[in-house]
Amino acid sequence: PFNGSTTIWFYAPRSVEIELAVFNVLGQRIRTLLSGRSIQGFRVDHKWNGTDDYNQQVPSGVYFYRLKTQTSVISNKMLYLK
């Protein structure tokens, strides 16, 4: 659970195209946090502050982040509490 903001981090062992996005429980994309090429050998920290792509606050609840590359997809659940 988090209040205010949370940090999503990952390590990029090689340079690849990535997309990091947040979805609600209905599977609707709420926010695209990162889209583009990662830098090889760097740890990436990205904060989500509970806002959508229009910078509007989202309600408390369960959200999912999805990190997608050309070869894999990683997702995890987050609980946002106001």
Side-chain angles (χ1 to χ4, degrees):
F2 72 97
N3 180 311
S5 70
T6 189
T7 301
I8 302 165
W9 68 269
F10 61 93
Y11 176 75
R14 63 183 192 280
S15 181
V16 293
E17 289 293 321
I18 58 171
E19 179 184 79
L20 179 60
V22 176
F23 296 83
N24 65 17
V25 294
L26 300 176
Q28 299 164 319
R29 182 186 304 258
I30 299 300
R31 178 122 194 207
T32 301
L33 298 174
L34 190 59
S35 182
R37 197 151 198 65
S38 68
I39 299 173
Q40 180 177 355
F42 278 84
R43 177 181 154 160
V44 178
D45 294 347
H46 202 85
K47 290 191 182 287
W48 181 52
N49 62 357
T51 58
D52 63 16
D53 277 334
Y54 304 102
N55 213 26
Q56 301 295 311
Q57 247 351 99
V58 298
S60 294
V62 175
Y63 293 87
F64 298 87
Y65 72 81
R66 181 181 73 190
L67 175 64
K68 185 177 175 183
T69 71
Q70 296 137 332
T71 59
S72 66
V73 176
I74 299 169
S75 62
N76 209 343
K77 182 169 60 169
M78 304 178 286
L79 179 58
Y80 178 51
L81 303 173
K82 286 187 181 180

